[in-house]
């Protein structure tokens, strides 16, 4: 059995709403479509299919939100991780890329609709996403991003140093990019809310039901677990980074990238009025990202990728995270501690966009969300439901590919890229004569 990071050490496990009452599959059930995976992608697919009148059974090996959907940092930033919009058009072709761009950039609004329609209690706030410029020469780069996303209809713009300070409470930024559609939430509460929504819509959900085999018998697929099987016309595998068996080779289509997450002790109210007063998602703007936001208790939840000593040495990592936070926001009291520390797994792809794999007639898999889980997982439900309803592949926002393994270099590439980004940022800061962040 694949070993994943502990689930019960996360802030979200301690603070999320209760999970809906579900249990394991027993015996044989029949349905139109079987969805495997109880994260955002699988749950929104189940909801969309039920809304369109299809019978749906969803199988989850652990509990809804056990994977990245329940342990991520809770940011809902409806952008692409690394590729520019023009890069996407070159990679996918203009027409298909524009379809994907429309879906992804509306991902936070889609989440807001689910939360509103199903009255999901998940600490949702849609106050925006801020990416800063820590040196003057970085303004040009974020201006291009702001203009690019504005050109496709997003509420996106550049802010000057004064406005950046008003929004963030930090004097470190020379300006920034504000994407007003960004949001944040409690990711496990959102997962559990989507599971309740799927049940409310009439989907059948079986948890603690790990898929051991999927095989074709006659005209239908038999999705087997230790306790029973689902007989379905079509199957959608939406297990992401937490793929553990079910279909041979599917777990080789991506490379696992660890992420570090931590949550502080609650900050006093007067401090919260000075630190991130706009209460949105904060990105310090460096390529080796430091991203953070509040939860409902006034804890700052921060995330970074492990590189070198960071992530291996726990004491150093905690100190580095606090030093970075207090460098940006010296108003944070010295007595502040990291009350929670955990890790999670991302399913990284070379192009950092999801991939669809045709596994057989009537079987589709989706992996490779690459760290944009909340908006991407939310919007993927509509795409996977479109496929299940027979939308031609040429009309989907993503191509359907043959199953193939991610290149071997992907095991090392993300870490090398982060180091390169850090080097570039440090050089820019030195050229501009500005102070480097601690541990940069």
């Amino acid at each position: 059995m694949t070993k994943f990071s502990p689930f019960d050490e996360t802030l979200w496990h301690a603070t999320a709403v209760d999970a809906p009452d579900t249990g394991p599959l027993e015996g044989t059930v029949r349905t139109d479509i079987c969805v495997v995976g109880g994260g955002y992608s699988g749950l929104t697919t189940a909801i969309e299919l039920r809304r369109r009148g299809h019978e749906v059974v969803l199988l989850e090996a652990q509990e809804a939100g056990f994977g990245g959907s329940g342990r991520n940092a809770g940011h809902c930033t409806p952008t692409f991780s690394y590729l520019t919009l023009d890069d996407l058009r070159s990679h996918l072709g203009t027409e298909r890329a524009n379809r994907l761009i429309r879906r992804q950039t509306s991902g936070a609004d889609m989440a807001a609709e689910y939360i509103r329609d199903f009255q999901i209690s998940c600490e949702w706030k849609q106050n925006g996403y801020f990416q800063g410029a820590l040196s003057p020469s970085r303004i040009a780069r974020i201006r291009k991003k702001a203009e690019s996303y504005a050109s496709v209809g997003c509420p996106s713009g550049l802010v000057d140093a004064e406005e950046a300070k008003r929004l963030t409470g930090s004097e470190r930024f020379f300006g920034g990019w504000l994407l007003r559609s960004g949001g944040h939430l409690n990711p496990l509460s959102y997962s559990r809310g989507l599971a309740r929504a799927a049940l409310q819509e009439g989907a059948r959900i079986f948890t603690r039901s790990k898929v051991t085999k999927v095989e074709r018998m006659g005209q239908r697929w038999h999705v087997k677990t230790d306790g029973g099987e689902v007989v379905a016309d079509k199957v959608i595998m939406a297990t992401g980074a937490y793929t553990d068996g079910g279909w041979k080779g599917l777990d080789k289509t991506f490379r696992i990238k660890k992420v570090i997450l931590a949550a502080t002790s609650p900050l006093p109210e007067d401090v919260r009025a000075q630190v991130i007063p706009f209460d949105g998602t904060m990105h310090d703007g460096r390529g080796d990202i430091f991203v953070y936001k509040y939860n409902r208790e006034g804890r700052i939840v921060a995330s970074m990728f492990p590189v070198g000593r960071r992530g291996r040495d726990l004491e150093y990592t905690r100190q580095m995270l606090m030093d970075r936070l207090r460098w940006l926001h010296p108003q944070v009291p010295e007595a502040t501690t990291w009350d929670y520390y955990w890790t999670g797994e991302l399913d990284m792809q070379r192009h950092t966009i999801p991939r669809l794999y045709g596994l057989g007639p009537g079987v589709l898999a989706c992996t490779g969300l690459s760290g944009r889980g909340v908006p991407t997982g939310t919007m993927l439900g509509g795409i996977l439901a479109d496929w299940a309803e027979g939308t031609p592949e040429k009309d989907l926002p993503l191509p359907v590919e043959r199953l193939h393994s991610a290149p071997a270099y992907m095991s090392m590439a993300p870490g090398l890229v982060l180091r390169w980004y850090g080097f570039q940022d440090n050089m820019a800061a030195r050229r501009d004569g500005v102070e480097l962040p601690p541990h940069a």
Side-chain angles (χ1 to χ4, degrees), residues 257-313:
K257 177 64 180 172
K258 290 279 189 179
V259 61
I260 301 164
L261 306 102
T264 66
S265 48
L267 299 187
E269 240 179 88
D270 62 323
V271 174
R272 297 202 297 270
Q274 302 172 59
V275 176
I276 332 176
F278 87 116
D279 197 6
T281 291
M282 286 282 302
H283 181 336
D284 69 351
R286 287 176 61 86
D288 179 14
I289 64 172
F290 180 57
V291 188
Y292 52 105
K293 56 94 172 182
Y294 284 115
N295 85 325
R296 72 177 178 209
E297 302 163 306
R299 301 177 188 273
I300 289 181
V301 183
S303 59
M304 293 189 83
F305 288 111
V307 176
R309 189 178 174 190
R310 185 172 76 214
R312 289 189 290 106
D313 183 331

Side-chain angles (χ1 to χ4, degrees), residues 10-309:
T10 72
L11 169 67
W12 314 124
H13 189 269
T15 60
V17 299
D18 291 338
D21 186 17
T22 56
L25 176 68
E26 295 178 356
T28 299
V29 299
R30 290 173 173 77
T31 190
D32 298 335
I33 301 152
C34 179
V35 177
V36 182
Y40 304 140
S41 300
L43 292 166
T44 56
T45 300
I47 293 169
E48 291 303 314
L49 287 170
R50 283 299 303 143
R51 283 175 162 177
R52 303 178 196 189
H54 302 281
E55 291 297 318
V56 182
V57 169
L58 185 146
L59 300 176
E60 162 57 42
Q62 302 288 338
E63 63 169 284
F66 171 83
S69 296
R71 64 181 83 201
N72 67 79
H75 309 297
C76 186
T77 305
T79 61
F80 294 91
S81 297
Y82 293 104
L83 294 186
T84 68
L85 302 189
D86 284 339
D87 288 339
L88 279 168
R89 294 181 182 110
S90 297
H91 175 57
L92 294 175
T94 299
E95 188 175 348
R96 192 191 295 273
N98 285 340
R99 288 197 293 266
L100 182 62
I101 289 166
R102 283 193 294 272
R103 298 261 192 167
Q104 180 70 8
T105 55
S106 62
D109 293 333
M110 289 183 190
E113 289 177 13
Y114 281 126
I115 291 164
R116 181 197 65 217
D117 292 350
F118 295 105
Q119 299 184 358
I120 298 173
S121 176
C122 63
E123 307 177 34
W124 173 247
K125 292 192 176 181
Q126 196 170 10
N127 294 337
Y129 162 80
F130 175 87
Q131 180 176 336
L134 289 171
S135 55
S137 61
R138 289 314 196 200
I139 293 290
R141 183 170 63 178
I142 60 172
R143 176 182 286 111
K144 288 179 68 175
K145 284 191 174 184
E147 292 173 349
S148 175
Y149 280 89
S151 73
V152 294
C154 296
S156 167
L158 193 70
V159 301
D160 61 18
E162 183 179 350
E163 178 67 1
K165 181 181 176 182
R166 187 189 72 80
L167 291 167
T168 71
S170 176
E171 298 183 350
R172 294 289 184 183
F173 299 112
F174 292 85
W177 169 33
L178 181 63
L179 181 65
R180 296 187 183 277
S181 56
H184 62 81
L185 44 64
N186 179 315
L188 183 55
S189 288
Y190 181 50
S191 298
R192 290 174 173 177
L194 289 174
R196 282 195 182 84
L199 290 167
Q200 179 182 321
E201 290 294 298
R204 289 176 285 175
I205 296 178
F206 298 98
T207 50
R208 302 190 301 281
S209 299
K210 178 182 173 181
V211 172
T212 57
K213 190 175 185 181
V214 181
E215 62 180 342
R216 184 83 162 175
M217 294 184 183
Q219 297 301 308
R220 309 197 81 190
W221 289 95
H222 291 242
V223 185
K224 300 188 177 185
T225 72
D226 287 338
E229 67 175 4
V230 178
V231 182
D233 297 321
K234 293 185 176 180
V235 180
I236 295 172
M237 307 286 289
T239 46
Y242 292 76
T243 300
D244 183 13
W247 193 284
K248 185 178 179 180
L250 187 57
D251 60 344
K252 301 294 190 296
T253 60
F254 54 86
R255 289 292 183 267
I256 289 289
K257 177 64 180 172
K258 290 279 189 179
V259 61
I260 301 164
L261 306 102
T264 66
S265 48
L267 299 187
E269 240 179 88
D270 62 323
V271 174
R272 297 202 297 270
Q274 302 172 59
V275 176
I276 332 176
F278 87 116
D279 197 6
T281 291
M282 286 282 302
H283 181 336
D284 69 351
R286 287 176 61 86
D288 179 14
I289 64 172
F290 180 57
V291 188
Y292 52 105
K293 56 94 172 182
Y294 284 115
N295 85 325
R296 72 177 178 209
E297 302 163 306
R299 301 177 188 273
I300 289 181
V301 183
S303 59
M304 293 189 83
F305 288 111
V307 176
R309 189 178 174 190

Side-chain angles (χ1 to χ4, degrees), residues 307 309-311 313-321 439:
V307 176
R309 189 178 174 190
R310 185 172 76 214
D313 183 331
L314 180 55
E315 184 177 348
Y316 168 81
T317 302
R318 287 177 180 271
Q319 188 63 53
M320 181 277 305
L321 289 169
H439 312 282

